Amino acid sequence: MQHFLKIDALSLDTVHQLIDRAEAFKRGSRKCYADYRLVTLFYENSTRTRISFELAAHHLSIPVVHFDNAASSEKKGESFEDTLANLQAMGLHLFVMRHSQEDFFHTLVAKASPAMHIINAGDGKNEHPSQAMLDLMTICAHKPKAPSLKIAIVGNISHSRVAHSLMALFQLVGVGDLVLVAPKMWQPEALPFGRVTDSLDEGLKDADVVICLRIQKERLLSQEHIDLLSYKQNFSVTCDRLAIAKPDVAIMHPGPINRGLELTSEVADSKHSLILEQVTNGVFMRMAIIDALLSKT
Ligand code: CP
């Protein structure tokens, strides 16, 4: 692998290898890449993704620098492309990038030297591939038989880069039944895999895994008015509503969570919740991604 940009670029073998590597790192396996340098460039806010990539690099003995957009020379008119070219000229190798622009990496990849590896840490509403990979790692640890699983993704599907990456990944690994639950205005424009409903009960009935999504107020268009009270009544995952799911249902959320909106605190903190396990696994999955890029496998 030269870059890590989108799920469609991964083969099923690569997906399994990344999960195996991440599990090995979780068991304590270590590698050293001290001759490489990683930079995080986040043009949108982040807690989990940025810090877990930085921690992953530390565990692999890779020095990390953080690009502070607000204090950078882009504020003096330097272009995004020139910023990247200058960072590359300083000898940085791994570029972990989040940007509101979808497919921001296309022109960069065309100009990148062989020593440069671009990692997509979220491009607009398009993809968040490392999140999908850590989610799959977490599911596999608890429920390894993908073809027998019913997975429900609930919330703002159309604006969710996580949902878009998960759809592609669940199709690749052959999840038995993927149900996308959303109000009509947030249902996906294209449906490569799965079925869509605006009925939370249809999604939750006999579900093995329920993935809640954030509303993402920052991506709503001016014409998209959301009545939060009505949204909560129809789409908030509560203990009562979960009663129709499988008894061992797993609750997931990529974070950040809005307690009392996408799901109640009672659900988020319940024994069914894998939300913090997802965060823990994020460090190991991101180590696996960096390892795969630097070992060119
Ligand atoms: N899941 C996720 O991308 O979280 P952050 O926005 O905190 O990185």
Side-chain angles (χ1 to χ4, degrees), residues 42 45-50 98 121 128 131 161-162 254-256 286:
F42 279 62
N45 291 357
S46 171
T47 296
R48 281 146 290 273
T49 310
R50 181 169 74 79
R98 171 173 289 185
H128 192 349
Q131 178 70 46
R161 52 192 172 212
V162 178
R286 283 154 180 151

Side-chain angles (χ1 to χ4, degrees), residues 269-287:
D269 300 331
S270 72
K271 66 179 190 315
H272 296 284
S273 175
L274 302 181
I275 294 171
L276 290 178
E277 188 176 323
Q278 289 172 263
V279 179
T280 302
N281 287 340
V283 176
F284 302 111
M285 177 50 70
R286 283 154 180 151
M287 289 173 75

Side-chain angles (χ1 to χ4, degrees), residues 155-296:
N156 187 345
I157 307 278
S158 61
H159 292 94
S160 171
R161 52 192 172 212
V162 178
H164 294 138
S165 287
L166 283 174
M167 274 190 260
L169 191 56
F170 289 159
Q171 182 174 30
L172 187 64
V173 300
V175 162
D177 187 12
L178 175 65
V179 188
L180 306 164
V181 183
K184 292 230 167 355
M185 70 173 171
W186 290 342
Q187 293 182 355
E189 288 152 22
L191 189 61
F193 183 61
R195 55 195 171 100
V196 181
T197 178
D198 61 1
S199 160
L200 182 60
D201 285 349
E202 190 181 330
L204 296 186
K205 178 99 177 75
D206 297 323
D208 298 282
V209 179
V210 176
I211 302 173
C212 304
L213 298 175
R214 196 168 62 83
I215 282 191
Q216 307 198 57
K217 288 183 189 144
E218 73 276 21
R219 287 192 215 290
L220 300 188
L221 304 172
S222 54
Q223 72 270 23
E224 291 176 272
H225 298 295
I226 178 79
D227 172 356
L228 290 182
L229 192 60
S230 154
Y231 183 84
K232 272 167 64 169
Q233 278 166 354
N234 291 307
F235 297 98
S236 185
V237 176
T238 65
C239 282
D240 283 350
R241 299 203 71 166
L242 263 184
I244 58 173
K246 292 258 177 71
D248 64 344
V249 63
I251 301 297
M252 301 175 67
H253 193 308
I257 64 174
N258 290 296
R259 291 171 180 267
L261 187 50
E262 300 110 29
L263 73 179
T264 59
S265 278
E266 204 182 357
V267 172
D269 300 331
S270 72
K271 66 179 190 315
H272 296 284
S273 175
L274 302 181
I275 294 171
L276 290 178
E277 188 176 323
Q278 289 172 263
V279 179
T280 302
N281 287 340
V283 176
F284 302 111
M285 177 50 70
R286 283 154 180 151
M287 289 173 75
I289 291 165
I290 293 169
D291 181 31
L293 291 169
L294 296 183
S295 63
K296 295 253 195 287

